[in-house]
Amino acid sequence: MIEIIRNIVLVIYVLVCIVLIVLATIQARDTNGASQTVTGAGASNFYENNKGRTREGKLKRMTVISGVLFIILAIALSILFVM
């Protein structure tokens, strides 16, 4: 029974890895993120306030979710393979 669960989690892990790679490669490069954070520039315009609704915002959110799933599944796999 544990072998079946391992294989299922491993397949899901590989799929999440592929999705994470694809999402990371299609994202636009954010070149001035750190400098704007320090200076506070651009934080009050309409685009910055609604950035999460744009395509780039959705891609970043999906990348973060995929990254969290990647970490959770990696921990689960390490536990399952010790058993």
Side-chain angles (χ1 to χ4, degrees):
M1 182 66 180
I2 195 83
E3 189 69 30
I4 296 171
I5 294 173
R6 273 188 210 158
N7 290 335
I8 291 171
V9 173
L10 190 60
V11 169
I12 294 170
Y13 182 71
V14 169
L15 292 175
V16 168
C17 289
I18 293 170
V19 168
L20 188 59
I21 291 169
V22 169
L23 287 174
T25 56
I26 62 175
Q27 281 188 15
R29 213 172 149 188
D30 191 16
T31 56
N32 51 355
S35 65
Q36 284 185 356
T37 303
V38 173
T39 61
S44 62
N45 63 15
F46 180 76
Y47 178 73
E48 289 296 323
N49 291 337
N50 294 308
K51 197 173 187 179
R53 296 181 183 176
T54 63
R55 180 177 181 264
E56 292 86 17
K58 290 177 184 176
L59 282 174
K60 283 185 181 182
R61 187 176 321 119
M62 290 185 341
T63 305
V64 169
I65 291 171
S66 298
V68 170
L69 282 173
F70 175 81
I71 293 169
I72 291 171
L73 288 172
I75 293 170
L77 280 173
S78 67
I79 293 171
L80 286 172
F81 275 100
V82 168
M83 298 176 99

